[in-house]
Amino acid sequence: MNMHTFIDFIMGEMVIVSFVIFIAGTCGRLLWTFIHINKTENFIFSYLSFKYSLRSILAWLTPFLPVSSRKKPFFYSISYTFHILLFIVPIFLLSHITLFEEYLNWSWISINDTSADILTIIVILCTLFFVTRRVVVKEVKYITRTSDFVFIIIASLPFITGFLAYHQLFAYKIIMIAHVISGEIMLILIPFTRFFHMFIAPIIRAYTGSEFGNVRGAKDW
Amino acid sequence: MKRYLLIIIIIFGISSIVLSNQQSVIDRSVFKNPQRSSALFNHDDHNEKAELEDCAICHHVYEDKKLVEGESSEDDSCSSCHTLKRTEKNIISIRTAFHKRCKRCHFKVSKGPVLCGECHIK
Amino acid sequence: MQETSTKDSETDTKVIDEGVEKGLKGLTPEKIELVINQVLKNETGARLKLYIDTCMRCSLCADACSFFLSNDRAPEFSPAGKVKQTLHEMIRLKGKVSKDTLRNIVRIAHTECNVCKRCSMYCPFGIDIAYMILLVRRICHKLEITPLYIQDTVNSHAATMNQMWVKEDEWIDTLQWQEEDAREEFENLRIPLDKDGADIMYSVIAPEPKFQAGLIYQSAVIHHAADINWTMPSFPGWDNSNMAMFTGDYEISGRIAKAHYEAATKLHVKKIVMGECGHAFRSVFDVGNRWMGWAMPPVDVIHAIEFYHYLLTSGRIKIKDKFKETVTLHDPCNISRGRGLHDKARELVDMLCESFIEMTPNKEHNYCCGAGGGAINCGPPWKINRMVNNREKADQIKRTGAKVLIAPCHNCHSGLEDILHYYDQDMEVKFFGDLIFNAMDKTIYKGGE
């Protein structure tokens, strides 16, 4: 396989494969989760309340509404920023949209490259903060395992390589290939690792919110 | 004699200016707010290297979304058909047209730049 | 007198719990492995898997825990840290846990967590860490290494259907004794036993007839003055407490709650009104009904706060003299986080007292008294640890500067008295019942007036 075929593959078929694995894996795991709940603890469904699920999820999505977030404003600011940018930057990046338009003739609004560059630096700084926190804050360090660092690295690699590729620093071609592959790895890993918390968190939140709100008449934030 | 010489020099000069002005980058003036540097492209060098004879490969003519065989459009600018934004009539934006035109061919022949930074050099 | 300087060194001495030691002696590695895996495999489901697979180990739960705060932010006391040392250890080792580790696990699960669920409110995902700690206690129960004193209360429950080995005749005798005493104040006062079709069944926890019969006297007076059509069962089922719920002995726990509900249905009452106890309320309102397959309680279950609130707002009880001294209020976990009664409690305080000062944090965010979740029931061997692990609560109370502390829960009551004494704070702990009894106009309510 020569270089061109390889690049064509990772920027073409492999992207589709990654998305298919991501979407199918996500649907599969969600389906499996609901089947598992139904099989083992189906009482959960009788406690789920749409109103209180939504109340809890919305309360926790509102910056600085939960007491927890007000107690740790610094951490939450960084965490909110990181999680929002993790989606905003890749989805609205001009280069990504350009590629998307090339293959599927479909495009949407983009952020300009300079802003994207700054936001990428912010994401990288956020991940550096997370790593530092895991090493320095003793209660976090106590429960940290190797996999926690691996997650941060996997999540930050597309941004680090993306930043280097944009500025064409070091071996451009290799970095660019690493960028594409690291993004695809991240996408593929979501349904099979704790990255899946993005889908499970609202489910747990809904259940806890329902128990607190519907059964116990209390707030859970 | 002196006058002829002068005319020859002027003609030579003008033509050399014209010839040496052969673009080494793509004209990106059509883009309103370009985010990247102009893509590197030297028309004659490229075609010589790529052994391209048929101008219509790039300078093609489409009518009603169908390729018109045997016609070419060297005298028109790309953006005269491929407008900045996709429209009913033109389904491929100028940006996508450039990218597709270069990359599809380069992938096919396994030659030439295909990654962003290989054309848009910082 | 305890000196501050000696307090830290006291915890260094390892507590030896005879119940735990005896249990450990009888265990073999094979049995440990078998029991742990049985519980993990057969008694858990999607919840545990989701909790374990989703925790991002951010440690935001740490600041929720009064144990963590009381121990100068020692990481082993953070909720996630406790799960790491207990449940996660069992899962990681696939049940092959050593006896020393088990000893550690029992201590953490039983005496270093009040299963107060405060941490669920600090976890951005809302992971129910208390559930996981209770699961560990379930395993400890099945391994028969539950701490001695709390196991004794469970044994009492199993044998007598009450927590304190109160015999049936003692129970009836105590009620009649209180009735007799109260009749000196109110001529026709009755503590109606087994009155079929009464409006409410009033239930208490076993320590009331055992040690605090005066509380039964007070509530008899309140019921009588408010002209309530009430009754108490003379037969097992009168005790609403449930220590088995906290040791993971779900079978006994279920029997206790069932006996309680059955007493109510046998007497054809409309409602169960429960005395000022938190864990008992959790057992009857939130846990016992589930064990029996009821999503929500089959009979209306009312906590004393709601009941008193009704009596005062409906005019059935009139307040003559408001309480003068400045009071503060402790929100018991099981009725604030557990039932959202904190606002009603404040309205009650307002109707009863002239001056009120808030304790912060409060309402759903209040710290546990440190005695809850069965911690106080682990008994004398663990008392000093409980005091040290509860410094944050003592500080919180001290900050209010109040002289009287209202705690509408038996567990909290005892736990708070302990820490007030230990940290040399001059403060009196009271029930709402005490305040109402002293402040009420002791004439009998006549409807329509």
Side-chain angles (χ1 to χ4, degrees), chain A residues 2 4-5 7-8 11 94-95 97-99 101-103 105-107 112-114 166-168 172-173 176-177, chain B residues 33 35-36 86 91-93 95-96 99-100 103-104 106-107 110-118 120-122:
Chain A
N2 67 39
H4 275 79
T5 334
I7 292 171
D8 195 18
M11 289 179 83
L94 182 62
S95 316
I97 298 170
T98 303
L99 282 166
E101 193 180 345
E102 231 176 281
Y103 285 88
N105 210 20
W106 184 32
S107 64
N112 71 51
D113 279 352
T114 318
Y166 174 68
H167 291 280
Q168 297 169 18
Y172 173 76
K173 213 167 183 171
M176 189 63 200
I177 290 168
Chain B
N33 180 22
Q35 297 290 308
R36 296 285 168 109
R86 273 175 287 134
I91 55 165
I92 297 169
S93 71
R95 188 180 70 200
T96 306
H99 285 135
K100 266 186 150 169
K103 283 171 65 188
R104 291 288 155 97
H106 292 170
F107 276 133
S110 291
K111 272 182 195 128
V114 286
L115 297 169
C116 315
E118 289 178 315
H120 302 285
I121 289 177
K122 273 265 166 186

Side-chain angles (χ1 to χ4, degrees), chain C residues 61-320:
Chain C
C61 53
D63 278 82
C65 188
S66 53
F67 286 86
F68 174 75
L69 298 171
S70 296
N71 285 288
D72 302 318
R73 311 181 69 83
E76 357 16 302
F77 286 94
S78 85
K82 288 182 247 188
V83 173
K84 173 195 154 108
Q85 293 171 86
T86 57
L87 188 60
H88 197 268
E89 200 64 2
M90 292 172 166
I91 295 171
R92 187 178 70 87
L93 297 169
K94 299 192 173 69
K96 292 188 181 68
V97 180
S98 75
K99 287 190 184 184
D100 282 336
T101 311
L102 272 182
R103 189 181 288 111
N104 207 30
I105 286 174
V106 178
R107 191 197 71 241
I108 294 165
H110 267 283
T111 74
E112 289 170 8
C113 172
N114 294 121
V115 288
C116 75
K117 296 194 190 240
R118 194 173 191 261
C119 42
S120 314
M121 300 173 66
Y122 288 75
C123 169
F125 304 162
I127 292 176
D128 189 352
I129 298 168
Y131 159 77
M132 292 192 266
I133 295 292
L134 283 169
L135 184 66
V136 174
R137 292 192 191 176
R138 169 71 171 168
I139 293 169
C140 292
H141 155 67
K142 289 209 149 188
L143 289 167
E144 300 180 51
I145 50 171
T146 303
L148 183 70
Y149 280 78
I150 192 166
Q151 183 58 48
D152 181 70
T153 63
V154 178
N155 295 348
S156 169
H157 275 304
T160 66
M161 280 293 120
N162 73 69
Q163 195 201 120
M164 291 269 141
W165 301 101
V166 179
K167 294 184 187 118
E168 209 165 324
D169 58 336
E170 284 174 0
W171 162 244
I172 296 168
D173 201 47
T174 307
L175 295 180
Q176 289 183 341
W177 160 43
Q178 291 310 311
E179 182 184 81
E180 211 174 299
D181 278 6
R183 280 168 88 100
E184 284 175 20
E185 225 175 322
F186 288 93
E187 205 179 356
N188 297 316
L189 183 143
R190 294 286 325 269
I191 297 182
L193 293 185
D194 304 339
K195 183 178 172 188
D196 192 69
D199 288 342
I200 65 166
M201 176 177 100
Y202 183 66
S203 64
V204 295
I205 62 167
E208 290 204 17
K210 194 86 179 176
F211 315 115
Q212 297 157 291
L215 291 173
I216 297 176
Y217 178 108
Q218 283 182 2
S219 42
V221 168
I222 293 170
H223 280 97
H224 183 71
D227 192 26
I228 298 291
N229 179 13
W230 67 302
T231 186
M232 289 180 98
S234 69
F235 48 89
W238 56 265
D239 178 13
N240 54 26
S241 73
N242 193 341
M243 276 305 133
M245 167 177 79
F246 287 142
T247 64
D249 193 342
Y250 300 152
E251 291 76 10
I252 299 293
S253 168
R255 277 179 61 206
I256 298 164
K258 192 175 176 194
H260 192 64
Y261 275 120
E262 277 183 350
T265 42
K266 253 182 224 163
L267 297 174
H268 304 104
V269 295
K270 296 193 181 83
K271 283 172 186 158
I272 298 171
V273 171
M274 305 182 52
E276 293 179 59
C277 187
H279 96 274
F281 189 79
R282 177 168 172 170
S283 153
V284 178
F285 178 80
D286 197 357
V287 178
N289 53 313
R290 299 187 194 216
W291 178 264
M292 285 176 275
W294 295 86
M296 294 301 277
V299 182
D300 274 350
V301 178
I302 310 284
H303 186 267
I305 288 180
E306 289 172 280
F307 183 58
Y308 295 151
H309 189 272
Y310 160 72
L311 295 182
L312 265 66
T313 49
S314 64
R316 280 181 174 268
I317 294 284
K318 287 191 180 66
I319 297 304
K320 209 164 56 185

Side-chain angles (χ1 to χ4, degrees), chain A:
Chain A
M1 191 191 276
N2 67 39
M3 200 49 128
H4 275 79
T5 334
F6 179 66
I7 292 171
D8 195 18
F9 172 70
I10 60 166
M11 289 179 83
E13 288 92 333
M14 197 53 208
V15 176
I16 295 164
V17 169
S18 307
F19 269 100
V20 167
I21 294 176
F22 164 64
I23 292 166
T26 299
C27 293
R29 186 158 169 197
L30 281 176
L31 186 71
W32 183 85
T33 298
F34 284 110
I35 291 171
H36 193 209
I37 294 173
N38 196 40
K39 219 170 102 187
T40 57
E41 285 169 326
N42 59 2
F43 68 87
I44 285 172
F45 294 118
S46 51
Y47 287 97
L48 277 183
S49 135
F50 181 73
K51 180 183 154 190
Y52 289 107
S53 300
L54 202 66
R55 183 181 84 154
S56 179
I57 292 167
L58 290 179
W60 277 89
L61 283 179
T62 313
F64 306 110
L65 180 71
V67 173
S68 176
S69 63
R70 278 187 240 167
K71 281 198 153 185
K72 301 247 170 207
F74 185 64
F75 173 82
Y76 270 91
S77 310
I78 291 174
S79 187
Y80 275 123
T81 311
F82 171 75
H83 283 90
I84 291 166
L85 293 184
L86 206 54
F87 290 89
I88 298 276
V89 176
I91 291 176
F92 296 101
L93 190 78
L94 182 62
S95 316
H96 291 175
I97 298 170
T98 303
L99 282 166
F100 206 87
E101 193 180 345
E102 231 176 281
Y103 285 88
L104 297 167
N105 210 20
W106 184 32
S107 64
W108 55 91
I109 192 162
S110 65
I111 42 180
N112 71 51
D113 279 352
T114 318
S115 314
D117 196 32
I118 294 164
L119 295 178
T120 304
I121 295 169
I122 294 175
V123 172
I124 297 167
L125 290 177
C126 287
T127 59
L128 274 178
F129 165 77
F130 290 136
V131 170
T132 317
R133 187 171 172 271
R134 287 215 176 273
V135 178
V136 172
V137 181
K138 56 181 183 170
E139 67 264 27
V140 191
K141 188 180 175 189
Y142 185 70
I143 54 169
T144 294
R145 280 176 254 159
T146 321
S147 67
D148 295 307
F149 291 112
V150 175
F151 278 120
I152 299 178
I153 291 167
I154 292 174
S156 63
L157 265 183
F159 290 87
I160 296 170
T161 52
F163 175 81
L164 293 176
Y166 174 68
H167 291 280
Q168 297 169 18
L169 301 168
F170 312 119
Y172 173 76
K173 213 167 183 171
I174 290 168
I175 284 169
M176 189 63 200
I177 290 168
H179 173 69
V180 176
I181 292 176
S182 65
E184 288 164 350
I185 287 176
M186 165 114 189
L187 207 55
I188 291 170
L189 283 179
I190 288 172
F192 309 106
T193 57
R194 279 189 291 138
F195 283 130
F196 205 61
H197 73 269
M198 69 169 88
F199 295 102
I200 297 296
I203 298 176
I204 298 179
R205 195 78 260 165
Y207 175 58
T208 300
S210 298
E211 285 274 12
F212 267 78
N214 209 21
V215 179
R216 304 184 187 123
K219 293 186 299 183
D220 64 331
W221 59 87

Side-chain angles (χ1 to χ4, degrees), chain C residues 40 48 215 233 366 369 447:
Chain C
L40 290 180
L48 179 66
L215 291 173
N366 193 26
C369 61

